[in-house]
Amino acid sequence: MRTRPAGTWQRLLDEQHGIITTKQMHAFGVNKDSINHYVQTGQWLRVFRGVVSVTNGPLTREMQLSAALLYAGRGALLSHTTAAEEWGWVRPGAGPVHVTVPYGCSATSKPPTMRHAKQNFTSESNEQIHPGVVVHRSRAMGHISVETNPARTSAVDTVLDLVVAEPTSRQATITLVSAMSSGGVNVAAMTSKVEVRRPMRYLKPILHTLALMRDGVHSALEYRYVLDVEQAHGLPVGQRQAPVFVDGRQLFEDIRYQICDLIVRLDGQAFHSAKQRRFRDRRRDNAAELRNLPRLMYGWHEVADDPCGVYREVREVLVREGWTDASYPCDRCAL
């Protein structure tokens, strides 16, 4: 160990957060027997075959990501949920690391790596070395990456990966709206990506959802309202993000039914501070009151948990204000 160039060795360990491959160590003159000795005596940890941590303590998240990328091989990218965590849309979890590799790469998904109690006794909470790796494959590696450290899929590609991985088209479209909103991915960028990298699943629902977003659906809550309240019950289509001017300032109503000027507000925009939200809602309330306009307000729980109850209230006001009822109950209404 002392004969190796310490500077180069240290820089490599720093760049890879204390994780190194056996191939890299061989290049520094460390032979197989030496590696086995350090692992078997508990000074190092074998994370995966050919990937070692030069410490015996718990791996940090940075070390877990580095180990997964080194295991997956050259050109591997953090992707799916793991990329979303790195982009800051999802809180880091304890689950496996998702990576995407090119077709032809030999890496396969790995279950969690556990310590061998026969070699080194430890507490149960410290038994797991690595949470495992989920390997995905892509033929578009040159078009989905961005220059980040560690390497990961672009924001728009991360959204598309999360969407296509969902088990149903309904959940896929909800994830599409939510991830685009959280990640700041605009409709134009997502539409261009779908055209270039056409998903093998859910293409029609994705395109339909993007059309709704172009018409003003900005959040998962607004999308659930369109899906489960309006479309499921045959309510008229409301105007999204309807402009209203208050004290010379332009604000926007979430939904306005122009046939009778009913306003529906959806209180789910977490990116507004409480102070901003109170001011905005107060000014919009005053403007609606001055114009004698009816208004209803719903949050996530009402729309997600009781869309039929929301439908009944909206229908009642629409009918009261002169709309000729053409709605109908959905399958959930009878439950």
Side-chain angles (χ1 to χ4, degrees):
M1 295 283 287
R2 295 177 182 174
T3 61
R4 291 188 298 278
T8 304
W9 171 263
Q10 187 62 55
R11 283 195 298 273
L12 182 63
L13 290 178
D14 290 342
E15 291 171 359
Q16 299 177 176
H17 304 286
I19 307 295
I20 194 166
T21 67
T22 54
K23 185 177 180 179
Q24 288 172 329
M25 284 192 283
H26 292 160
F28 280 100
V30 186
N31 59 38
K32 181 178 179 181
D33 291 339
S34 295
I35 295 171
N36 288 338
H37 168 75
Y38 283 109
V39 171
Q40 290 171 4
T41 56
Q43 299 176 66
W44 291 354
L45 291 173
R46 194 181 303 279
V47 186
F48 301 112
R49 181 178 180 180
V51 180
V52 172
S53 169
V54 293
T55 180
N56 59 6
L59 303 189
T60 65
R61 188 59 172 172
E62 289 179 328
M63 296 169 76
Q64 292 175 359
L65 299 182
S66 181
L69 289 171
L70 288 171
Y71 160 74
R74 185 175 180 179
L77 304 170
L78 299 178
S79 64
H80 296 75
T81 305
T82 308
E85 293 175 359
E86 290 295 289
W87 282 114
W89 315 338
V90 179
R91 291 183 180 180
V97 177
H98 288 256
V99 299
T100 292
V101 300
Y103 275 89
C105 174
S106 61
T108 58
S109 297
K110 290 290 184 183
T113 304
M114 311 301 290
R115 295 176 188 264
H116 295 290
K118 292 182 180 180
Q119 295 179 356
N120 299 289
F121 293 99
T122 185
S123 65
E124 185 175 345
S125 62
N126 194 34
E127 186 179 12
Q128 185 184 93
I129 295 175
H130 194 281
V133 182
V134 178
V135 176
H136 309 268
R137 302 186 189 280
S138 173
R139 291 188 174 89
M141 297 297 291
H143 305 284
I144 65 175
S145 65
V146 289
E147 293 184 4
T148 56
N149 185 21
R152 61 178 180 256
T153 51
S154 72
V156 66
D157 284 291
T158 300
V159 171
L160 190 56
D161 286 338
L162 292 174
V163 169
V164 175
E166 292 291 358
T168 66
S169 60
R170 173 185 169 82
Q171 187 56 49
T173 54
I174 292 172
T175 296
L176 176 64
V177 179
S178 178
M180 287 178 63
S181 177
S182 300
V185 175
N186 61 50
V187 176
M190 196 71 228
T191 302
S192 297
K193 177 57 67 172
V194 170
E195 290 174 354
V196 174
R197 187 187 166 203
R198 295 179 74 81
M200 297 183 66
R201 305 173 71 196
Y202 311 137
L203 177 59
K204 288 185 178 179
I206 288 172
L207 293 176
H208 174 69
T209 303
L210 290 174
L212 288 175
M213 296 182 74
R214 276 192 294 272
D215 290 338
V217 173
H218 288 172
S219 69
L221 176 57
E222 293 176 19
Y223 182 68
R224 291 290 292 268
Y225 181 89
V226 172
L227 203 68
D228 297 337
V229 178
E230 277 190 0
Q231 294 184 355
H233 298 94
L235 288 176
V237 177
Q239 180 186 4
R240 317 293 168 195
Q241 307 305 318
V244 56
F245 291 89
V246 182
D247 300 333
R249 179 180 177 182
Q250 187 179 44
L251 302 176
F252 296 90
E253 297 289 5
D254 297 318
I255 303 167
R256 178 184 176 188
Y257 292 99
Q258 294 177 299
I259 53 176
C260 62
D261 278 333
L262 167 63
I263 292 169
V264 174
R265 293 176 187 158
L266 301 173
D267 186 17
Q269 299 184 34
F271 52 83
H272 289 294
S273 70
K275 183 177 180 180
Q276 287 176 318
R277 188 164 56 247
R278 285 195 300 269
F279 172 80
R280 178 200 64 192
D281 291 344
R282 187 168 63 247
R283 299 309 300 148
R284 291 191 309 181
D285 267 342
N286 290 347
E289 184 65 30
L290 290 170
R291 290 182 293 158
N292 196 31
L293 300 181
R295 51 202 178 276
L296 297 169
M297 179 177 287
Y298 302 103
W300 177 264
H301 291 296
E302 294 103 311
V303 174
D305 298 339
D306 187 23
C308 301
V310 174
Y311 149 67
R312 287 189 291 270
E313 291 183 357
V314 173
R315 179 191 61 182
E316 181 177 339
V317 176
L318 287 172
V319 171
R320 186 191 72 194
E321 296 298 316
W323 177 60
T324 301
D325 190 2
S327 67
Y328 42 80
C330 73
D331 293 339
R332 295 175 59 173
C333 287
L335 300 178

